[in-house]
Every structure is written in C-alpha cells, then in structure tokens.
Amino acid sequence: ATSFIHRFEPASRAGSPPLLLLHGTGGDENDLLGLGQMISPGSALLSPRGRVLEHGMPRFFRRLAEGVFDEEDVRRRALELGDFVADARQRHGITAPVAVGFSNGANIAAALLLLKPDVLSGAILLRAMVPLTDPPKAELDGKPVLLLSGQADPIVPATNSARLAALLSQAGASVTHKVLPAGHQLTQTDVALARDWIGNVA
Ligand code: MLT
C-alpha cells in the first residue's frame, strides 16, 4: 500500500476515540496534533501528510483552481488514504478513527465518507465543501458528522456547505451543521464545539 509520511501518538486514555488528523493546504503532519489534543485529550492521533504538492505545499488531492477539484484525483487519493488508515489500524491496533479535517483535509475526509464510509467512525469537517459533483450512493448509516462553516468564508460559499450537509444527511449520516461568525480560519468556537460534540458522540 502507499505510504504517507505521518505522526502517530498512541492513546493515553482508554476509551477515547482515535482521531485521523487531516491538515489544510500547505500544512503537514504536525499541524493538527495540538488541535487533536484539545478536542479529545488522550485520544490516539494518526496524522498523515498529504502526498500532493502544489507549489511545494502539501495537499490531499489535486485541484485545477481554488474550489475546482480534479475529481479523478480526489477519488484516487481518497482510496489511497483509506488504505493507509486500514494499515495503520492493524499496525497500531486502533479502532476506526473519527476524522478531524481542516479545509483541504476536511474535503478529503468528506470524500472518504462518500467513497469508503467504513474507514471512519465519524468526522469533524472544518470549513469543508462538496468534494465530488457526482458521488456514489453512500450508506452512512447514522455516522455522526459535525460540519462547521464560516459565515464569511471567502473560499466556501454558504450554498456549498449547505449542499454538503444535505448530501451527507441524504446518505444517512447524522449531521450537525453550524455556521459560525468566522472566515476560513478556525476560531476558539470551532475548538469548543468540536470538543463538546465528540464528548457526546464518542
Ligand atoms: C481545497 O482545495 O481543498 C479547498 O479549496 C480548500 C483549500 O485547501 O484551500
């Protein structure tokens, strides 16, 4: 299987859900470790670096322009990431993780939910948009998803995040969608909402 440069931090508290941390464009495997610890202290953290480079900036899939995705690459990379998670689960003996993705990382997490739902036990999608125009009919079967959008996000229009929430709900996910008074960047409110949400579902 394809290997990803990654960090793995074992759990330090029994019963806390493992997290799959997925960074935004230009980030790396170290970026979201602190966020993961804040959201779910004691959880195992699996944090890969995106394998696509855009002018030297790591990403999880190719895009043609901002907000315009190379969907063939989205599909291929999502499956590749799914295989990485399956291998890491075996290696580290962890259960299916909850994805915590920001921006490009949230978009690949959304694609993974639609293409390979069994890889994740749930997802926190921070500033996500619709990753595929014509996704397969997924069976999300009550999987919990928290979608946090920014009301003034210049990259993700409100109609797009609403469409993603509807798409995931129609596929059977149990979606909580909140629109925050924020832009594309994360705020303390994101952290607080994510922490409360994971405490209730996991
Ligand atoms: C993407 O390319 O996934 C979105 O435009 C978000 C970003 O990474 O800027």
Side-chain angles (χ1 to χ4, degrees):
T2 317
S3 68
F4 284 70
I5 294 170
H6 69 281
R7 296 274 303 264
F8 177 74
E9 300 284 339
S12 62
R13 204 166 70 184
S16 40
L19 304 183
L20 174 67
L21 303 173
L22 301 166
H23 63 78
T25 302
D28 68 21
E29 66 280 11
N30 300 301
D31 274 25
L32 299 186
L33 294 173
L35 178 69
Q37 279 154 9
M38 283 191 281
I39 290 177
S40 183
S43 278
L45 303 176
L46 177 62
S47 187
R49 182 193 301 184
R51 291 169 41 84
V52 169
L53 286 179
E54 182 182 272
H55 307 299
M57 297 188 294
R59 290 174 49 83
F60 287 95
F61 57 82
R62 264 180 251 285
R63 63 180 163 184
L64 309 172
E66 192 162 277
V68 186
F69 302 152
D70 175 342
E71 295 202 11
E72 201 183 302
D73 198 58
V74 173
R75 288 171 189 270
R76 183 161 83 84
R77 303 286 177 177
L79 299 182
E80 198 175 84
L81 182 62
D83 288 346
F84 164 76
V85 173
D87 282 0
R89 283 189 55 185
Q90 281 217 322
R91 200 151 9 104
H92 300 295
I94 55 174
T95 56
V98 175
V100 178
F102 167 61
S103 190
N104 180 248
N107 297 340
I108 196 77
L112 199 50
L113 279 174
L114 294 166
L115 296 168
K116 277 264 171 194
D118 292 348
V119 171
L120 301 175
S121 68
I124 298 175
L125 306 176
L126 305 166
R127 310 298 183 269
M129 53 196 292
V130 175
L132 294 164
T133 44
D134 193 16
K137 234 180 106 48
E139 293 288 350
L140 289 178
D141 223 3
K143 235 178 255 298
V145 176
L146 176 65
L147 174 60
L148 298 180
S149 306
Q151 178 202 302
D153 189 332
I155 297 176
V156 185
T159 47
N160 190 299
S161 52
R163 205 144 52 77
L164 177 59
L167 187 67
L168 293 169
S169 299
Q170 279 152 22
S174 170
V175 179
T176 305
H177 184 199
K178 289 195 157 64
V179 182
L180 311 182
H184 197 66
Q185 293 313 311
L186 299 181
T187 66
Q188 285 307 316
T189 310
D190 288 275
V191 178
L193 289 171
R195 193 176 45 218
D196 290 351
W197 178 86
I198 207 163
N200 286 324
V201 301

